[in-house]
Amino acid sequence: MKTPSTTSTTRHRANNTPSAVAHPSPYASAAQTKALLAGSLAARMARLEAKDMLSTDMAADLVGTTPVTINAWIAKGRAIGLTQPRRGFKLPSWQFEPVLWDAVPKLSQALGTNEGWALLAFLETPSGALGGLTPRQAIEQGHLARVVEVAGAEGY
């Protein structure tokens, strides 16, 4: 049976181990969270204003359909529509290229989402599973099946 002083000493040592001191809290502070969200908003606004972005009307004109159809495609995960602060969506124009057009609904299904920002982030973020390419680059190089596999396996 341990004596109270031994137990007390053991607890004291456990709380002052180098690993406990070397590993600060894994949680972000309120200030860090606020800065991250502010940076995210700025990045999203910049992305919405990029030259490859189309309004719903422009996308409809590009593919010869109506804005209502474009909105339906966004809702179904058939097209990537990015919400913006004001009403409506912005759409990356490159998704209407034939090789990517066939990929968007497959990726939406594999990722389990039709949310535009999530789809865009997946497509534009380099992946170690794809040799450092972005999924969009890998698809453009003919590796759609591998990209869909990565999307489903990694649970983005």
Side-chain angles (χ1 to χ4, degrees), residues 78-119:
R78 178 71 189 96
I80 300 169
L82 306 177
T83 55
Q84 51 184 346
R86 59 187 184 275
R87 191 173 171 181
F89 296 96
K90 289 278 190 123
L91 298 91
S93 59
W94 47 258
Q95 72 179 304
F96 298 107
E97 295 171 15
V99 70
L100 289 159
W101 182 243
D102 292 336
V104 172
K106 292 175 184 176
L107 291 173
S108 178
Q109 183 176 12
L111 293 167
T113 186
N114 61 1
E115 203 284 316
W117 287 105
L119 293 168

Side-chain angles (χ1 to χ4, degrees), residues 22-44:
H23 299 302
S25 172
Y27 301 104
S29 68
Q32 290 169 321
T33 301
K34 185 176 180 180
L36 180 65
L37 292 174
S40 174
L41 179 59
R44 285 182 181 219

Side-chain angles (χ1 to χ4, degrees), residues 6-37:
T6 304
T7 304
S8 175
T9 304
T10 303
R11 283 187 194 146
H12 180 70
R13 285 184 190 149
N15 289 337
N16 289 324
T17 61
S19 63
V21 175
H23 299 302
S25 172
Y27 301 104
S29 68
Q32 290 169 321
T33 301
K34 185 176 180 180
L36 180 65
L37 292 174

Side-chain angles (χ1 to χ4, degrees), residues 56-78:
T56 306
D57 289 339
M58 293 165 65
D61 289 344
L62 178 68
V63 297
T65 192
T66 66
V68 171
T69 299
I70 296 291
N71 286 328
W73 288 347
I74 293 167
K76 293 178 186 175
R78 178 71 189 96

